[in-house]
Amino acid sequence: MDNNDILIRLRYALDIKDKDMIEIFKLGGVDLTKEDVLKVLTKSEDSSDDDHDYNDDIPENEEHIKCTNSMLESFLNGMITFKRGQQDPKPGQSNKPDRSIKNHSSVNNVMLKKVKIALKLTSEDIIDILDEAGVTITKGELSALLRKEGHKNYKECGDKYARNFLKGLALKYRG
């Protein structure tokens, strides 16, 4: 699953309109037009449900904009602000959020954490959402997925969990 797939599935699950997508990106610090957002929300030709990158040398399609890790994280940060409101920085805290996505393997973990924050979900809510999608996970396993990368109990969130979490969100929010 690539970043464009994550955005497409998240948009569908939460039924986010085009103008809200533009606003969320803007809140995250990325200015995109409606046309740009629609290009980001198209499936890339090389994306599939496999984790293989067979087509690394395919030139960018004019009708497709590849969603980078930075762009996805900006969207997720913007979604938190959009759903929960602007947070005043604490004294001594910088205004700019630190980047949590260090490499491609941590994308799913960061997405899980930031959607959890944006939607005010508890761990039990996430377990229920995954259960609704047909995946059973223990509280301990979920805790490992939500840990900071580098922590001794950190576990990488695979595409199976991420895909089923987004599927469960769609079932919950769209019925």
Side-chain angles (χ1 to χ4, degrees), residues 15-175:
D15 197 21
I16 304 172
K17 308 289 182 239
D18 288 343
K19 68 179 187 65
D20 291 338
M21 291 290 290
I22 295 166
E23 178 66 20
I24 291 170
F25 271 114
K26 187 173 285 195
L27 288 170
V30 177
D31 285 324
L32 294 177
T33 64
K34 182 177 180 179
E35 292 76 28
D36 291 340
V37 168
L38 294 175
K39 287 178 183 179
V40 170
L41 293 172
T42 58
K43 270 191 177 279
S44 58
E45 293 172 16
D46 62 333
S47 78
S48 66
D49 285 342
D50 301 332
D51 287 332
H52 305 293
D53 290 329
Y54 295 118
N55 302 319
D56 285 336
D57 53 350
I58 289 182
E60 281 297 306
N61 183 346
E62 288 180 24
E63 297 302 312
H64 176 73
I65 296 176
K66 184 166 175 49
C67 182
T68 63
N69 289 347
S70 174
M71 187 186 286
L72 178 64
E73 188 159 11
S74 294
F75 176 82
L76 294 170
N77 289 336
M79 191 167 82
I80 292 171
T81 304
F82 184 78
K83 294 283 190 182
R84 299 188 67 159
Q86 188 69 38
Q87 184 180 18
D88 296 326
K90 295 177 178 71
Q93 184 182 10
S94 70
N95 265 349
K96 200 161 185 146
D98 63 326
R99 294 291 173 202
S100 303
I101 300 177
K102 308 285 190 257
N103 55 47
H104 190 68
S105 64
S106 66
V107 169
N108 293 337
N109 296 71
V110 172
M111 182 271 302
L112 193 65
K113 279 187 256 188
K114 294 197 181 225
V115 170
K116 177 183 189 279
I117 293 167
L119 300 178
K120 301 177 189 171
L121 299 173
T122 63
S123 293
E124 289 80 16
D125 293 335
I126 294 177
I127 291 170
D128 291 342
I129 287 169
L130 284 168
D131 189 48
E132 200 166 323
V135 175
T136 306
I137 187 173
T138 66
K139 210 168 190 175
E141 289 172 315
L142 179 60
S143 173
L145 297 177
L146 296 173
R147 299 235 181 241
K148 188 174 185 176
E149 190 173 7
H151 187 278
K152 69 176 187 162
N153 293 330
Y154 170 83
K155 181 181 174 194
E156 187 179 304
C157 180
D159 281 348
K160 173 188 168 192
Y161 285 129
R163 193 177 301 113
N164 283 300
F165 174 68
L166 293 170
K167 178 181 173 186
L169 277 178
L171 292 171
K172 178 178 179 171
Y173 287 97
R174 294 184 71 105

